[in-house]
Amino acid sequence: MPESFPPGFLWGAATAAYQIEGAVREGGRTPSIWDTFSHTPGKVLGGDTGDDAVEHYHRRSQDVRLMADLDLTAYRFSVSWSRVQPTGRGPGVQRGLDFYRGLVDELLEQGISPSLTLYHWDLPQELETSGGWPERDTAYRFAEYAQIVAEALGDRVEMWTTLNEPWCSAFLGYGSGVHAPGRTDPVAALRAAHHLNLGHGLAVQALRAALPARARLGVSLNPSAVRPLSASPEDADAQRRIDALANRVFTGPMLKGAYPADLLADTAHLTDWSFVQDGDTAAIKQPLDMLGINYYAPAVVSAAPENAAEEGPRNDGHAASEHSPWPGSESVCFHQPPGELTAMEWSVDPSGLYDLLMRYSREVPGTALLITENGAAYDDKPDPEGAVHDPDRIRYLHGHLAAVHRAIEDGADVRGYFLWSLMDNFEWAYGYSKRFGAVYVDYETQARTPKSSARWYAQLARTGELPGIPAG
Ligand code: IFM
């Protein structure tokens, strides 16, 4: 029997503004932290930037037709904050808002449900210059921006996500410095995490006030499926520490209304957390209609061995840095699980996705789950006829979708799946060297070619039944 998904299950693909739009100086847009960072020598592989990206700003209609051709029923995109509210303060800019209005209208004409993410890492540079996410004011600015977008698009968008992967914004942006703005201060990273949480809570309140009752609100986290290397108590403690810093630092306040006591204890030598003011955790814990889960690979951790200094670089799946993104738990070791790897050197292990879906089904019963990102990078190349065959990606997707199906059978309320990514794009610190797309982009000509995985996924979107893995 083929694995069938529930009727109405959303079959989508996801992108993010800075990774695809380009046109960074058009329509009144001002620089974001990623413009500054990518133009700083040595920060992005090959000196790549998102200046042109894949020219989606100018190829929007072509890209929507491509989605329709692939039978997608949903599309997840993010809004560039500095395109719609340049500098992050003051009124919205119609030209910027019109771009997204046009995008949404074209999607709706094709029967594709838009899913809008307000923040996918591109803070207006001026707000960073004023202190960025480590400063409380940024949370208020974010809520104001959310209201502007809600007033402009609330009549036509039903699915709203506040933040995408706030862990990356806080800990890669301010801790290890491998993402914009490239700061390497563990306390700034913890402060940023709190103000991202606060921004989320304030934005949900602003969205609820501005949007019609039918709007569905959520957040997309990248929870870590973190596993201990051994059954030792030391490795169990390493797992607990990373679970606190990767997962519960966000789910604690957002879903349960409190920071976990063990997180506060693990970081007490760095900060007393007095930046959390009275009423903050109540403001952060807002009822959510859906929880977005972004999943790529699990993490395997252990306590630091005696000879930790000789261990070599920490292998936690993120771009290498001499600064840790794990404040207070810098000594925890990350291990490469055995088995198949993607081009990111991330292991292929769908059981991590299953485990996360079951975990959050238990922890937040009554909240629908969405897989808001899942996918893999491979070194795709066109054959002499120009076709792009990516059997590894088909196998990756098949395995992960079978895990989603199993979770649904076991009671998880999963409503949709967004493949990362619709098309090849700017992969942050790795520039254009890593291809996650279901659609191949020739960066010289900007021509788009659906890979064989895109056709495979289209069949799934059309039928709701998981296709087999093609032979050969
Ligand atoms: O490309 C990113 C995306 O922007 C956020 N989630 C992970 C993807 C792959 O690294």
Side-chain angles (χ1 to χ4, degrees):
M1 276 287 282
E3 288 138 311
S4 297
F5 286 82
F9 193 85
L10 292 174
W11 294 109
T15 62
Y18 189 71
Q19 295 182 270
I20 63 164
E21 284 181 5
V24 292
R25 287 175 207 88
E26 293 180 47
R29 181 187 181 279
T30 58
S32 76
I33 53 175
W34 268 97
D35 294 276
T36 310
F37 188 77
S38 66
H39 279 271
T40 306
K43 297 297 184 191
V44 174
L45 202 67
D48 292 347
T49 72
D51 286 5
D52 299 317
V54 293
E55 292 183 0
H56 171 72
Y57 187 77
H58 293 295
R59 293 168 184 265
R60 181 185 83 195
S61 304
Q62 177 192 353
D63 290 338
V64 173
R65 283 197 300 275
L66 190 56
M67 294 176 219
D69 181 46
L70 295 176
D71 289 297
L72 300 187
T73 60
Y75 173 56
R76 175 173 180 248
F77 63 96
S78 79
V79 172
S80 156
W81 186 345
S82 62
R83 200 182 280 294
V84 307
Q85 192 195 28
T87 78
R89 289 192 173 84
V93 161
Q94 283 316 312
R95 272 185 303 176
L97 292 164
D98 282 347
F99 172 75
Y100 297 103
R101 260 194 217 103
L103 170 64
V104 168
D105 288 348
E106 289 176 17
L107 290 168
L108 293 173
E109 271 162 35
Q110 298 288 353
I112 300 171
S113 301
S115 168
L116 184 156
T117 298
L118 286 165
Y119 187 72
H120 197 124
W121 307 353
D122 44 358
L123 186 70
Q125 177 58 44
E126 285 217 14
L127 293 185
E128 173 58 24
T129 306
S130 307
W133 285 110
E135 293 307 318
R136 189 173 178 87
D137 185 57
T138 305
Y140 293 101
R141 301 282 68 75
F142 181 60
E144 186 183 281
Y145 153 68
Q147 184 179 340
I148 290 171
V149 182
E151 283 168 359
L153 295 167
D155 59 342
R156 55 200 88 184
V157 173
E158 281 186 23
M159 278 181 281
W160 293 75
T161 296
T162 54
L163 306 172
N164 181 71
E165 302 184 1
W167 185 85
C168 298
S169 300
F171 296 102
L172 299 182
Y174 294 93
S176 66
V178 299
H179 277 190
R183 285 159 67 178
T184 54
D185 172 351
V187 178
L190 294 169
R191 291 175 63 100
H194 175 60
H195 296 130
L196 283 153
N197 280 329
L198 183 61
H200 158 82
L202 297 173
V204 171
Q205 293 175 38
L207 293 173
R208 291 270 183 228
L211 293 173
R214 65 173 188 280
R216 283 175 290 150
L217 272 51
V219 62
S220 287
L221 304 177
N222 55 325
S224 180
V226 47
R227 295 164 177 170
L229 183 67
S230 77
S232 73
E234 292 79 12
D235 290 358
D237 191 60
Q239 179 196 30
R240 177 198 62 70
R241 282 171 168 275
I242 298 305
D243 182 53
L245 277 166
N247 303 332
R248 290 180 286 119
V249 64
F250 299 108
T251 56
M254 285 183 185
L255 307 176
K256 297 180 180 167
Y259 281 100
D262 60 332
L263 169 71
L264 305 186
D266 290 346
T267 53
H269 60 294
L270 295 170
T271 173
D272 61 4
W273 288 74
S274 53
F275 47 82
V276 180
Q277 297 185 6
D278 283 352
D280 280 6
T281 47
I284 295 168
K285 182 179 180 283
Q286 295 298 316
L288 297 179
D289 306 300
M290 54 202 187
L291 176 64
I293 292 181
N294 296 357
Y295 173 81
Y296 292 87
V300 177
V301 299
S302 72
E306 297 291 309
N307 58 348
E310 295 151 31
E311 278 291 290
R314 171 183 37 81
N315 182 8
D316 61 4
H318 304 290
S321 164
E322 59 192 87
H323 301 276
S324 167
W326 305 106
S329 292
E330 292 84 355
S331 61
V332 168
C333 284
F334 286 76
H335 302 266
Q336 187 76 271
E340 211 185 316
L341 301 178
T342 69
M344 297 294 284
E345 300 193 3
W346 295 347
S347 73
V348 178
D349 185 350
S351 69
L353 179 55
Y354 173 85
D355 291 348
L356 289 171
L357 292 172
M358 298 315 292
R359 173 180 182 173
Y360 291 110
S361 297
R362 282 191 303 274
E363 290 193 10
V364 274
T367 303
L369 302 177
L370 278 177
I371 291 117
T372 40
E373 286 184 25
N374 177 238
Y378 290 104
D379 294 327
D380 309 309
K381 291 187 183 59
D383 70 12
E385 281 75 48
V388 185
H389 296 290
D390 56 345
D392 290 339
R393 184 171 290 100
I394 294 180
R395 268 201 309 282
Y396 180 98
L397 295 176
H398 183 276
H400 286 76
L401 284 156
V404 175
H405 187 267
R406 185 158 71 91
I408 295 173
E409 283 199 323
D410 292 347
D413 181 13
V414 188
R415 303 285 178 89
Y417 176 94
F418 291 81
L419 185 159
W420 185 270
S421 178
L422 173 67
M423 53 193 164
D424 296 334
N425 60 47
F426 176 80
E427 177 53 25
W428 308 113
Y430 297 89
Y432 297 96
S433 68
K434 304 291 178 198
R435 293 180 177 272
F436 274 91
V439 173
Y440 183 86
V441 178
D442 177 333
Y443 294 126
E444 294 296 312
T445 64
Q446 296 288 353
R448 277 89 160 123
T449 306
K451 303 175 191 176
S452 40
S453 62
R455 298 291 173 208
W456 180 90
Y457 188 63
Q459 186 186 335
L460 171 58
R462 220 166 29 245
T463 62
E465 289 186 356
L466 190 62
I469 300 175

